[in-house]
Amino acid sequence: MRFLHTADWHLGRLFHARSLLEDQAHILDQFVELVRTERPDAVLIAGDVYDRAVPPPEAVALLDDVLGRIVIDAGVPVVMIAGNHDSAQRLEFGARLMRAQGLHVAGRTLAEAACVTLHDAHGEVRVYALPYAEPAVVRDAMGTDLPSHEAALRAQLDAIRAVHPPGVRAVVVGHAFVVGGAASESERPLSVGGSGAVAADLFSGFELVALGHLHRPQTLGGGRIHYAGSLLKYSLSECAHDKSVSRVELGADGAVTITAVPLQPLRDVRVVEGELAALLAAGAADPQRDDYIHARLSDTGALLDPMAKLRQVYPNALAIERTVLARSGTAEAGRKLRQLGTGELFASFFREVADAELEPGQREVLDQVLACMAAAERESA
Amino acid sequence: MRFLHTADWHLGRLFHARSLLEDQAHILDQFVELVRTERPDAVLIAGDVYDRAVPPPEAVALLDDVLGRIVIDAGVPVVMIAGNHDSAQRLEFGARLMRAQGLHVAGRTLAEAACVTLHDAHGEVRVYALPYAEPAVVRDAMGTDLPSHEAALRAQLDAIRAVHPPGVRAVVVGHAFVVGGAASESERPLSVGGSGAVAADLFSGFELVALGHLHRPQTLGGGRIHYAGSLLKYSLSECAHDKSVSRVELGADGAVTITAVPLQPLRDVRVVEGELAALLAAGAADPQRDDYIHARLSDTGALLDPMAKLRQVYPNALAIERTVLARSGTAEAGRKLRQLGTGELFASFFREVADAELEPGQREVLDQVLACMAAAERESA
């Protein structure tokens, strides 16, 4: 049996106040094409479908379009769960009506997990959909006290084991942080205080655990626990990730083989480093000028509106970092700056910006300027 | 052919800051039961399904549940359109996937209106779904300049007439303000400046025009243009309405017979009038104490927290109006009240509240109190 496993679409996400919907639509076009070509037995979407509980209407329309093309046009069933970014109730609208068409959406947490039964030449495969839920929500559903994410997930998995027929291959689609997984900067923590993490051995007995939450594609638990990773690079920390969706082959004996299928984003997320002038000169010949650019500028002097200049070359530049400024950190933060005279204050500022002392000639010019200003101030008073 | 026509559910509506979801769920239970009993050929829901573009998740869950029970459990198809309160894109999520099950949702406005073809013993009936849209939105869809609501709707109806086969009965489900219709206080105007109203003769040639928007059930255009009215009383102005859903029989010859089917709300919306003490005394024996009560108090004197007292008898009292206060209107608003002394100011206030002059004894007490206050003020200064 073959699955295409993907997760963390975060439709409607803003990146430095910029909507990524065009990028998301572009890459989802490729995904739909892949589904049409590969014709897997099912597509598994492991949560964080939207970036927030109330996504913009354009994101709703995009998801509607993509699911229609996969389920109706390509005729491939989809199992989709809510992640910690999704609204369980909103995502689940129409679930009963869409089920018969092959779209299985699990939003709300129930005492008995939703189960989709599939078949291949080797028999039955049961896919259990476990949407993300706070421990308190799982407790309400299961009627047991469950103090942690781990306890909650264990209870849910135990309930599945209790009804799962022996000898049948079992797949879980979930949204969790498994201990040992590598996080990025764009996952929202699952737990405020206390750990949201769960142990990998919780999933023993399941042939495949197709997860969402961590944005880097990765495999744990000896190859059975798999994060497909996010659809796109959603933070600077993901620059070096190879984003992909995952082709998962589940053998007759329950053995799992996972292959990453890279998709081509409309725009990459990249860091460029150097002095502004050098970056502008090099950027003019950059074939990937439309990428989302994070510039680390090493200039020591003042720069007049560097973002405007950068965007003339890189129209989608998102952020600028001054490496020299950043280096000094908060070392001076504790000083009582208000007690310094204007000259000393400026000298301190210069030291912070340029990582160097004012030269005598520079100090002379500064003093003249300050004297002029003081004279002008007296006159106008 | 038989329809059940309803509109203006406004799920998620707040009434004096109170959620009506329990009331809405209660009356929709009766509606679902009616559908199960009557088994109409289709249910028509003519817009303003939700009260706002982003309804609360509980309202989404309620609609999901109700539609599942009608379409899947009762097996009755539904044609549902967006009204001016709904988000076209959000309401339309999953529409392609749900269509095959018999739920036809029209949210966005297209050049060609969605059409659902039904059959009875006398042949075909085509139901055209025309969701509410601003003229600018219709213009974008149709590619023609359409300056008004009337021009926009005319263009949409002309486009339907152009494709509708002759001799086939035609039904329109729409959301509009037809000239001559009686409005309440809870419809949001369709147009800010300019008229949102459309002429009844726009709909010539259609056997049945099942509308939403106006909250009072009413029939125009010689019996063919029908408002089912809102599910519940959503404003004080609707106190005297008989809310209902509509049973519509469409004959072989296209003749239409409409019957109102009243449903029983969990709580009625009522006005009670009189002095507070009398209302409290009478209310104690009121069998409908749980109704939503708007109290018109005729008391002339001061009342200490009348709402708290009223709610001891009528737990769902929503608002209090002081009829004596209201009577004086804004007659005194123009006076330069700041120029008056405290005594005159109080006398003016008393006149406004009590509709009477201070009696000499009252004035004497007032003057004593004011003198005491002035003395205390001098001491503390």
Side-chain angles (χ1 to χ4, degrees), chain A residues 204-341:
Chain A
S204 67
F206 293 95
E207 271 70 30
L208 169 67
V209 182
L211 292 180
H213 185 58
L214 297 180
H215 286 188
R216 180 194 291 274
Q218 53 197 298
T219 306
L220 303 161
R224 295 176 310 104
I225 302 175
H226 181 66
Y227 285 97
S230 59
L231 196 61
L232 292 169
K233 299 176 180 180
Y234 287 131
S235 69
L236 194 60
S237 72
E238 296 165 59
C239 265
H241 289 192
D242 291 316
K243 297 295 186 187
S244 53
V245 296
S246 301
R247 182 192 300 118
V248 184
E249 303 278 356
L250 178 64
D253 55 353
V256 162
T257 315
I258 299 173
T259 325
V261 185
L263 303 176
Q264 193 59 42
L266 183 60
R267 309 175 184 94
D268 200 2
V269 177
R270 281 195 293 143
V271 173
V272 295
E273 279 193 270
E275 296 206 337
L276 180 60
L279 293 184
L280 297 179
D286 189 335
Q288 306 290 341
R289 285 174 49 172
D290 281 335
D291 283 351
Y292 291 119
I293 297 296
H294 179 101
R296 292 206 173 108
L297 302 185
S298 58
D299 302 73
T300 53
L303 293 172
L304 193 64
D305 203 352
M307 184 54 98
K309 287 176 183 146
L310 195 63
R311 285 199 173 145
Q312 284 175 6
V313 174
Y314 293 107
N316 299 310
L318 292 181
I320 283 178
E321 192 183 326
R322 298 290 297 270
T323 51
V324 174
L325 281 168
R327 207 181 310 148
S328 72
T330 55
E332 306 239 320
R335 291 199 190 168
K336 292 175 180 165
L337 293 171
R338 286 188 189 177
Q339 295 176 4
L340 299 176

Side-chain angles (χ1 to χ4, degrees), chain B residues 89-101:
Chain B
Q89 286 169 301
R90 294 185 197 279
L91 193 72
E92 206 176 75
F93 179 80
R96 267 191 84 193
L97 284 156
M98 300 190 288
R99 202 180 300 154
Q101 297 298 302

Side-chain angles (χ1 to χ4, degrees), chain B residues 122 169 207 250-256:
Chain B
H122 314 293
R169 288 165 292 171
E207 271 71 28
L250 178 64
D253 56 352
V256 161

Side-chain angles (χ1 to χ4, degrees), chain A residues 50 54-57 60-61 63-64 67-69 71-73 89-90 92-98 100-101 103 108, chain B residues 50 54-57 60-61 63-64 67-69 71-73 89-90 92-98 100-101 103 108:
Chain A
Y50 292 123
V54 179
V60 176
L63 181 64
D64 181 52
L67 292 175
R69 286 153 72 196
V71 176
I72 301 179
D73 299 341
Q89 287 170 300
R90 293 183 198 281
E92 207 175 74
F93 179 80
R96 268 191 83 192
L97 283 156
M98 299 191 288
Q101 298 297 300
L103 175 57
R108 283 179 284 188
Chain B
Y50 292 123
V54 179
V60 176
L63 181 64
D64 181 53
L67 292 175
R69 286 154 70 196
V71 177
I72 301 179
D73 300 340
Q89 286 169 301
R90 294 185 197 279
E92 206 176 75
F93 179 80
R96 267 191 84 193
L97 284 156
M98 300 190 288
Q101 297 298 302
L103 175 57
R108 284 179 283 190

Side-chain angles (χ1 to χ4, degrees), chain B residues 56-365:
Chain B
E58 295 78 13
V60 176
L62 175 58
L63 181 64
D64 181 53
D65 176 60
V66 166
L67 292 175
R69 286 154 70 196
I70 295 176
V71 177
I72 301 179
D73 300 340
V76 173
V78 169
V79 180
M80 178 170 90
I81 63 167
N84 57 310
H85 281 248
D86 300 302
S87 159
Q89 286 169 301
R90 294 185 197 279
L91 193 72
E92 206 176 75
F93 179 80
R96 267 191 84 193
L97 284 156
M98 300 190 288
R99 202 180 300 154
Q101 297 298 302
L103 175 57
H104 306 269
V105 183
R108 284 179 283 190
T109 290
L110 309 169
E112 194 173 327
C115 175
V116 181
T117 303
L118 303 170
H119 295 87
D120 64 7
H122 314 293
E124 215 176 283
V125 174
R126 298 216 175 170
V127 180
Y128 296 95
L130 275 187
Y132 173 79
E134 305 288 333
V137 172
V138 182
R139 182 190 60 208
D140 285 353
M142 314 281 291
T144 338
D145 191 34
L146 299 163
S148 68
H149 276 79
E150 185 161 290
L153 193 55
R154 179 180 288 118
Q156 291 179 288
L157 293 168
D158 283 348
I160 293 174
R161 287 189 192 95
V163 299
H164 183 73
V168 169
R169 288 165 292 171
V171 174
V172 167
V173 184
H175 195 88
F177 187 172
V178 175
V179 171
S184 315
E185 279 170 7
S186 57
E187 298 102 357
R188 186 191 298 161
L190 293 182
S191 179
V192 178
S195 169
V198 300
D201 61 12
L202 232 57
F203 295 102
S204 67
F206 293 95
E207 271 71 28
L208 169 66
V209 182
L211 293 180
H213 185 59
L214 297 180
H215 286 188
R216 180 194 290 275
Q218 53 197 296
T219 306
L220 303 161
R224 295 177 309 105
I225 302 176
H226 182 66
Y227 285 97
S230 59
L231 195 61
L232 292 168
K233 298 176 181 181
Y234 288 131
S235 69
L236 194 60
S237 72
E238 295 166 60
C239 265
H241 288 192
D242 291 315
K243 298 295 186 185
S244 55
V245 297
S246 303
R247 182 192 300 118
V248 184
E249 303 277 356
L250 178 64
D253 56 352
V256 161
T257 314
I258 299 172
T259 324
V261 185
L263 303 176
Q264 194 58 42
L266 183 60
R267 308 174 184 93
D268 200 2
V269 177
R270 281 195 293 143
V271 173
V272 295
E273 279 194 89
E275 295 205 342
L276 180 60
L279 293 184
L280 296 179
D286 190 334
Q288 306 290 339
R289 285 174 52 171
D290 281 335
D291 283 351
Y292 292 119
I293 297 295
H294 179 102
R296 291 205 174 109
L297 302 185
S298 57
D299 302 71
T300 52
L303 292 171
L304 192 65
D305 203 353
M307 182 55 97
K309 287 177 183 146
L310 196 62
R311 285 200 172 142
Q312 283 176 5
V313 175
Y314 293 107
N316 300 311
L318 293 181
I320 282 177
E321 192 183 328
R322 298 289 298 269
T323 51
V324 174
L325 282 167
R327 205 183 310 148
S328 72
T330 53
E332 307 240 325
R335 290 198 190 169
K336 292 173 181 167
L337 293 172
R338 286 187 191 178
Q339 295 176 4
L340 298 176
T342 310
E344 282 76 61
L345 204 55
F346 186 90
S348 157
F349 173 66
F350 185 88
R351 199 179 305 123
E352 217 173 59
V353 172
D355 205 19
E357 293 295 327
L358 279 172
E359 289 166 27
Q362 291 175 325
R363 180 72 204 214
E364 202 175 300
V365 173

